[in-house]
Amino acid sequence: MEIFKNYSLKNYNSFGIDVKANYFVNIKTMSDLTKLTQSKLLEGKKYFILGAGSDVLFANDFNGVILNIELKGMHIRDYNDDELILEVYAGEQWHNFVETCVKNGYHGVENLAMIPGKVGAAPVQNIGAYGAEQCDVFWKLKAYNIESNAEIILNKQECKFGYRDSIFKNKLKDKVIITSVEYKLSRKEKFNFSYKELDKIIHRFPWVKPDLQYVFNTICRIRNSKLPNPEILKNAGSFFKNPTVSNYKFQELKKEFPDISGYELKNGNIKLSAAYLIEKAGWKGKRIGDTGVYDKHALILVNYGNASGKDILSLSDKIQDSIQNKFGVKLEKEVIVVE
Ligand SMILES: Cc1cc2nc3c(=O)[nH]c(=O)nc-3n(C[C@H](O)[C@H](O)[C@H](O)COP(=O)(O)OP(=O)(O)OC[C@H]3O[C@@H](n4cnc5c(N)ncnc54)[C@H](O)[C@@H]3O)c2cc1C
């Protein structure tokens, strides 16, 4: 187990925020977890479990212990002619896992290509894109309970997945370290083109029969054209969640903003596009100092250089207030703010 003191987190968060942590611990093996408990390093200190830092905003220096999860490995747990179960360790990069699946003809995660971050964080916010969510193929996971120093296994139901939500953001928040995740993938052709824009692009040439590699390449191309690469422009993807309103509220909004669109949920409520609201309120492309709203996608806040966590939070507060005032809709942060 490697322990560093007074360690810079600048290269460990996709916003590129230059803060320091009192302690930074690399967890590379399962025995590092036992050593961590034996060391009593966490006693009386706050701690934060870090993946690749692509969904977090560090508001300040972190006065505690950062646990950097670097557990690596991927192997087949079970298979038959139709399906297989792949166990992936928490420290693997999500996109590398997706690439491996595509290379081997395993269907199920191709719509989630190019989502930055590590596998261990994927169940935490139940990552999703292009009509798919990781919970669609999730089988089970193993985690280490920091308090009881014991391994736990959770199935899909126990993880309580929701829209960008799970038990790891609620009851088990900061209590367990996810060590590996098992996904059930299809060895037979099985695509999800429920997302209209994707369906249109995939089928734009009727003579092309899409295969797994084609779908993967298409997703990568769409994402490259829309989303800023954090290596070049620091960001953490969608800063806010898409808000949900009642059907009544949606009809009221429609009277005032006829071009507003919504997606009806099973319970009759309507999910709105946060990007639409932010753009309509005039924030798209706006810059304040070194922070701003990305000019090609209103849901993404960016750090143009030396913005602090506080600068980005201040911008996000202004956007939330403005959306509340203009539409009477509360925007919730998707990004996790670490104080
Ligand atoms: C350009 C860009 C595009 C993005 N696009 C999408 C998208 O399309 N869909 C989407 O859903 N998200 C998207 N995101 C957000 C982000 O990629 C995901 O939330 C990703 O899963 C975060 O992974 P991470 O390893 O960086 O986690 P981190 O940001 O390090 O951590 C996120 C949360 O998970 C917890 N965590 C991390 N690892 C573990 C573990 N092993 N055990 C327990 N808890 C853990 C952390 O404590 C924290 O609460 C995007 C981000 C960027 C920068």
Side-chain angles (χ1 to χ4, degrees):
M1 181 176 69
E2 294 164 323
I3 306 178
F4 302 93
K5 276 189 184 171
N6 206 20
Y7 199 76
S8 169
L9 300 178
K10 192 171 180 356
N11 296 327
Y12 293 87
N13 71 97
S14 63
F15 262 129
I17 304 294
D18 195 4
V19 287
K20 284 194 170 145
N22 292 154
Y23 296 91
F24 185 89
V25 182
N26 281 327
I27 305 287
K28 291 186 171 170
T29 63
M30 296 301 281
S31 68
D32 281 347
L33 287 170
T34 322
K35 284 183 201 150
L36 177 70
T37 322
Q38 287 164 351
S39 73
K40 305 213 184 301
L41 180 69
L42 300 185
E43 265 180 26
K45 298 188 191 76
K46 69 173 179 177
Y47 59 86
F48 184 76
I49 305 160
L50 186 67
S54 55
D55 201 32
V56 298
L57 176 63
F58 288 107
N60 300 303
D61 282 336
F62 188 74
N63 187 14
V65 186
I66 294 286
L67 301 172
N68 180 37
I69 310 304
E70 290 281 4
L71 301 164
K72 300 277 182 183
M74 219 185 282
H75 56 262
I76 294 172
R77 297 287 297 181
D78 205 357
Y79 68 94
N80 60 27
D81 287 348
D82 298 335
E83 291 170 328
L84 90 162
I85 293 178
L86 199 59
E87 178 175 22
V88 196
Y89 278 84
E92 289 289 343
Q93 292 295 330
W94 175 266
H95 181 70
N96 291 351
F97 157 58
V98 175
E99 264 187 327
T100 303
C101 291
V102 171
K103 241 183 249 159
N104 288 285
Y106 309 151
H107 293 68
V109 282
E110 58 283 357
N111 289 24
L112 306 177
M114 281 191 75
I115 297 185
K118 293 180 183 171
V119 168
V124 176
Q125 89 139 357
N126 187 24
I127 55 170
Y130 300 99
E133 287 182 321
Q134 69 86 47
C135 68
D136 301 339
V137 286
F138 177 92
W139 184 241
K140 67 180 184 194
L141 61 74
K142 293 186 188 132
Y144 180 83
N145 187 320
I146 296 175
E147 279 163 19
S148 63
N149 185 19
E151 184 181 81
I152 57 167
I153 296 178
L154 297 180
N155 65 26
K156 185 169 169 172
Q157 215 184 353
E158 289 164 325
C159 289
K160 299 193 189 309
F161 292 123
Y163 166 61
R164 303 294 180 270
D165 200 21
S166 72
I167 194 166
F168 308 103
K169 281 188 158 183
N170 299 289
K171 198 172 152 203
L172 291 184
K173 188 172 170 2
D174 301 328
K175 290 203 166 56
V176 300
I177 295 174
I178 295 167
T179 52
S180 72
V181 190
E182 292 183 21
Y183 288 104
K184 192 178 195 177
L185 304 156
S186 176
R187 300 178 73 191
K188 298 266 159 74
E189 199 175 275
K190 195 175 179 186
F191 294 116
N192 173 357
F193 299 140
S194 61
Y195 193 83
K196 277 191 200 130
E197 189 197 331
L198 176 66
D199 187 52
K200 219 163 89 186
I201 296 174
I202 291 281
H203 295 111
R204 72 193 184 287
F205 305 121
W207 58 90
V208 175
K209 186 179 175 319
D211 63 10
L212 190 53
Q213 187 68 49
Y214 184 81
V215 175
F216 171 84
N217 291 346
T218 305
I219 297 275
C220 293
R221 214 182 42 247
I222 302 175
R223 289 186 70 102
N224 273 330
S225 70
K226 281 191 170 172
L227 301 171
N229 178 349
E231 306 269 309
I232 299 163
L233 184 56
K234 300 293 180 192
N235 76 91
S238 304
F239 197 90
F240 302 103
K241 292 184 189 179
N242 287 320
T244 300
V245 295
S246 67
N247 202 315
Y248 176 80
K249 172 75 184 173
F250 180 60
Q251 298 310 328
E252 291 292 298
L253 286 169
K254 228 174 161 34
K255 281 182 209 152
E256 207 178 333
F257 308 99
D259 59 339
I260 194 170
S261 60
Y263 169 79
E264 185 166 356
L265 302 173
K266 279 187 195 133
N267 62 5
N269 285 339
I270 308 290
K271 190 183 280 180
L272 303 176
S273 154
Y276 167 91
L277 302 176
I278 297 168
E279 185 171 349
K280 200 81 182 171
W283 285 100
K284 195 173 175 185
K286 272 223 167 128
R287 180 170 175 167
I288 301 177
D290 258 356
T291 70
V293 179
Y294 186 48
D295 56 2
K296 291 195 193 119
H297 199 314
L299 205 44
I300 300 176
L301 305 193
V302 296
N303 173 7
Y304 286 107
N306 293 315
S308 68
K310 287 269 190 289
D311 294 337
I312 292 170
L313 270 184
S314 154
L315 173 65
S316 86
D317 287 348
K318 288 191 178 91
I319 294 173
Q320 278 171 316
D321 288 349
S322 125
I323 300 304
Q324 182 70 51
N325 292 337
K326 191 173 174 71
F327 303 97
V329 173
K330 186 170 187 281
L331 277 189
E332 259 182 61
K333 292 184 190 70
E334 179 174 320
V335 164
I336 293 148
V337 178
V338 186
E339 302 273 359

